[in-house]
Amino acid sequence: MTSRSPAQSDRYPPRPGNWIPALGAGLVAVVLLHFWGNAVRGYIGTASLFGWWFFQLLNPASEAEHGWLILGFSAWLLWRNVRATPADAVDFGAVWPAAFALAGG
């Protein structure tokens, strides 16, 4: 059961095509970051950002174990935002107190 009224459901029908732009943008990002992501080539001689990234994540001396949490959280945010509808929009009036608290430190 959905929490939207019938009028809202008719106004914003679910669109299965929401994944197509996300997949296209993801593919472009993967190609760019694989071939031109690591321009510095400092201590890891690879042009691929993914090669550098996974070297850091899998190397215990790098102290980057929290990277797996960031990767999982980012994947969840992508999944949540792609499947969202305009009816799921956030009321930004409720965000201002949190924004001020974040800005205040």
Side-chain angles (χ1 to χ4, degrees), residues 11-22:
R11 192 175 334 155
Y12 301 112
R15 296 182 344 180
N18 285 353
W19 285 98
I20 294 171

Side-chain angles (χ1 to χ4, degrees), residues 23-75:
L23 289 175
L27 180 64
V28 168
V30 165
V31 168
L32 289 175
L33 293 175
H34 178 66
F35 291 108
W36 298 290
N38 188 12
V40 178
R41 296 189 191 208
Y43 52 93
I44 300 173
T46 179
S48 174
L49 178 69
F50 301 113
W52 174 84
W53 189 21
F54 282 107
F55 176 82
Q56 294 296 324
L57 288 175
L58 299 174
N59 185 3
S62 297
E63 297 182 2
E65 292 86 11
H66 66 284
W68 294 109
L69 295 173
I70 294 170
L71 183 63
F73 185 68
S74 300

Side-chain angles (χ1 to χ4, degrees), residues 4 11-13 18 83-90:
R4 291 181 283 177
R11 192 175 334 155
Y12 301 112
N18 285 353
R83 71 175 184 87
T85 63
D88 298 330
V90 175

Side-chain angles (χ1 to χ4, degrees), residues 76-93:
W76 174 77
L77 281 175
L78 175 68
W79 172 77
R80 186 192 70 161
N81 290 336
V82 167
R83 71 175 184 87
T85 63
D88 298 330
V90 175
D91 176 24
F92 286 106

